[in-house]
Amino acid sequence: MTTPFNFEAVAARIFTPSDLDPTDLSRTLGALAMGGIDLADLFFESKRSRSFRLENGRVAGGSFQIDQGVGARVARGGQVAFAHSADMRPAALATLAEAVRGLDGGSGGEARVPLAARAPDHALYPPIDLDAAGDAATWIALLGTIDAKARAADPRVVQVSAFVRVVDQAILVADLDGRFASDLRPMVQLFVDVVAESGGRRARGQGGLGGRHGAAELLGDRLDAMLAKAVTMAVTNLDARPAPTGTMPVVLGPGYPGVLFHEAIGHGLEADHHRKKLSVFDGKMGERIAAPGVTVVDDGSLPGRIGSLGVDDEGVPGARTTLIEDGFLTGLLQDRLNAGLMNGLPTGNGRRQSYAHLPMPRMTNTFLVAGQDDPADIVASVRDGIYATAFGGGRVDIVTGRFNFSTTQAWRIENGRITAPVEGATLIGVGHEALRHISRIGNDLALDDGVASCSKQGQNLDVGVGQPTIRIDQMMVGGGTA
């Protein structure tokens, strides 16, 4: 039998300490399979997380956490029974199966489910052990370097906060269909928050970077670019004036502004919302829902990206799914449960926060595909509007598509030129309406720097977002007075 990706390393983390082997999984699945169910799976996880924070040159916090356990799920139709345990030993698996079968109203048995490993290795991220990437002193020294460089970049910088997060996750999935998949998922992120002061006025700037790779990929040019972005944002915002209000053209810069599409559109294209008829896009498959040229994809197979998955949390390989093609709704994000109930196929989007949570359809790396326009020409086409390149918080109503997003860096566009920075600008609209008002799409597609995250039904996950420069002809802007 061909072993799944990184099986030996995963087994050392999950099987060996709990005295497990594949036979125990086969036996447990056999117990879950009794009673005419449609779906049954086991999800094993071992996750080691570290974080450190430096504020104004002093260590302000640090943590090290180990989370491990197994979740068992069975489903018949739309009814799901689920239980989880931090104990992964064979006796605990038997108890877990009994608990789930009790919830489902069935009784266990002695049958065994033969497991067939998913064979292909993936090259999306390296199978590295981040425990070997450095101790606390190493990470704190890196944060100290960030602090020093940020202060040296501009004398107006008066406060610096730096944060590093390191996660090393091993997962293994086995299911009733005989799927047997494993993966090692490294993840490192850096964040910096800078406050600049001049003339009694203060302004803030943020930056971050991350990915599924080792510590070395955080250094060098990427680190310098992150610091330059944060410092430039802070000192630029020192001169910001109140944002105008009203309906006007809005130009969104490349990269992280794609979070607007993640929130205002992506959640509405997750299959569970469609199955339950909660999405504003329900019943519109094959219809035009966006302007010509608008193509939106979700791609969990991009190397090194923070939203990428060799296999998802149901053992399905990460893949590219086209959601909107040239303005027409063409696809949904599916996990195994909803795909089965909707006569579809899973798309590699079954994700869960941990072994103690149920999987559901979730985004991976979601972005608007590049167009043909020169970004400079897009800006020049606007007589009076807003150019936004960074966002803070936002909210969206999945049922109606209504959203609002606050900008953290934006400028006025006057007579085709970017002029003064503005503060307090909030973009307000309806997702499907904003899609129809996109008139220009740039050729400068970029994904975010590896710092995006997503919350759904209380589960938080790392994701990727992105877009090229775009023009939205009409959008409500709330803010101060011009």
Side-chain angles (χ1 to χ4, degrees):
M1 181 178 69
T2 306
T3 56
F5 183 61
N6 291 322
F7 177 78
E8 291 79 8
V10 172
R13 294 268 295 273
I14 293 175
F15 279 8
T16 303
S18 300
D19 196 26
L20 282 175
D21 63 38
T23 302
D24 297 307
L25 277 60
S26 178
R27 182 183 299 111
T28 305
L29 287 167
L32 294 176
M34 306 302 288
I37 61 172
D38 300 319
L39 180 154
D41 56 20
L42 297 169
F43 176 83
F44 295 83
E45 177 186 36
S46 172
K47 183 166 66 176
R48 300 180 294 220
S49 307
R50 286 173 286 171
S51 66
F52 302 96
R53 181 180 298 277
L54 202 71
E55 294 184 359
N56 293 319
R58 294 186 176 185
V59 178
S63 69
F64 176 73
Q65 182 173 332
I66 297 177
D67 296 291
Q68 62 181 30
V70 55
R73 172 180 62 157
V74 298
R76 180 188 292 115
Q79 300 299 311
V80 178
F82 175 71
H84 60 86
S85 171
D87 189 346
M88 297 185 290
R89 292 174 296 179
L93 288 186
T95 301
L96 192 66
E98 183 179 354
V100 174
R101 298 304 305 150
L103 290 171
D104 190 52
S107 59
E110 293 298 325
R112 296 188 181 188
V113 173
L115 298 176
R118 189 188 72 81
D121 287 2
H122 68 76
L124 302 187
Y125 36 83
I128 58 176
D129 183 351
L130 286 175
D131 269 359
D135 56 13
T138 301
W139 294 111
I140 291 171
L142 174 59
L143 297 181
T145 298
I146 292 172
D147 181 279
K149 285 190 171 186
R151 294 178 188 277
D154 195 288
R156 290 168 288 183
V157 173
V158 295
Q159 291 183 12
V160 179
S161 175
F163 177 77
V164 63
R165 174 178 174 237
V166 184
V167 178
D168 186 13
Q169 182 191 36
I171 67 110
L172 188 145
V173 183
D175 67 27
L176 190 62
D177 297 329
R179 183 181 284 106
F180 187 37
S182 61
D183 201 10
L184 283 177
R185 301 171 179 168
M187 195 277 295
V188 185
Q189 288 179 312
L190 278 176
F191 299 89
V192 64
D193 190 283
V194 172
V195 175
E197 182 176 22
S198 179
R201 184 175 182 181
R202 289 192 166 199
R204 187 178 302 276
Q206 299 88 32
L209 58 91
R212 293 198 180 280
H213 48 56
E217 286 79 2
L218 297 174
L219 307 177
D221 292 343
R222 288 189 72 197
L223 180 63
D224 291 341
M226 177 192 76
L227 289 169
K229 178 179 179 179
V231 172
T232 299
M233 183 184 297
V235 299
T236 298
N237 285 341
L238 285 171
D239 298 321
R241 64 194 195 192
T245 60
T247 300
M248 64 189 71
V250 171
V251 176
L252 302 180
Y256 188 77
V259 70
L260 186 147
F261 291 91
H262 169 100
E263 294 288 1
I265 299 163
H267 280 300
L269 298 180
E270 292 166 336
D272 51 348
H273 295 136
H274 276 257
R275 182 173 67 85
K276 298 173 184 176
K277 301 188 181 302
L278 296 176
S279 171
V280 68
F281 300 110
D282 177 54
K284 298 185 182 296
M285 188 63 65
E287 296 183 10
R288 176 173 292 283
I289 64 169
V294 173
T295 296
V296 178
V297 302
D298 183 272
D299 194 340
S301 64
L302 301 177
R305 302 305 307 182
I306 206 131
S308 293
L309 301 168
V311 294
D312 70 5
D313 296 330
E314 297 179 309
V316 180
R320 182 182 180 98
T321 302
T322 300
L323 302 173
I324 301 172
E325 186 167 11
D326 196 24
F328 292 91
L329 179 59
T330 58
L332 300 175
L333 301 178
Q334 295 277 13
D335 64 347
R336 295 186 65 221
L337 174 66
N338 287 281
L341 294 171
M342 299 173 70
N343 296 316
L345 295 173
T347 57
N349 292 91
R351 305 189 65 188
R352 62 208 300 169
Q353 180 174 307
S354 77
Y355 72 90
H357 297 80
L358 278 167
M360 64 180 79
R362 300 292 299 271
M363 285 173 274
T364 57
N365 304 298
T366 310
F367 55 92
L368 179 71
V369 174
Q372 302 296 321
D373 290 311
D374 186 318
D377 291 341
I378 295 177
V379 173
S381 71
V382 176
R383 186 181 68 83
D384 184 18
I386 290 289
Y387 176 61
T389 60
F391 289 89
R395 293 183 298 175
V396 62
D397 184 323
I398 294 169
V399 177
T400 65
R402 296 186 180 278
F403 65 82
N404 64 76
F405 289 90
S406 59
T407 65
T408 55
Q409 188 162 47
W411 289 264
R412 287 294 302 271
I413 301 176
E414 298 173 291
N415 297 317
R417 295 176 58 249
I418 296 172
T419 58
V422 297
E423 62 182 354
T426 299
L427 306 186
I428 304 165
V430 180
H432 56 282
E433 293 179 1
L435 284 172
R436 294 182 179 276
H437 290 305
I438 296 173
S439 62
R440 307 285 294 271
I441 303 174
N443 57 14
D444 57 341
L445 170 65
L447 299 185
D448 76 287
D449 293 320
V451 297
S453 63
C454 173
S455 178
K456 176 180 175 181
Q457 297 178 25
Q459 294 194 40
N460 296 307
L461 293 172
D462 298 301
V463 297
V465 299
Q467 65 168 54
T469 298
I470 63 171
R471 169 174 166 156
I472 303 176
D473 287 342
Q474 298 179 37
M475 183 170 285
M476 175 65 71
V477 178
T481 56

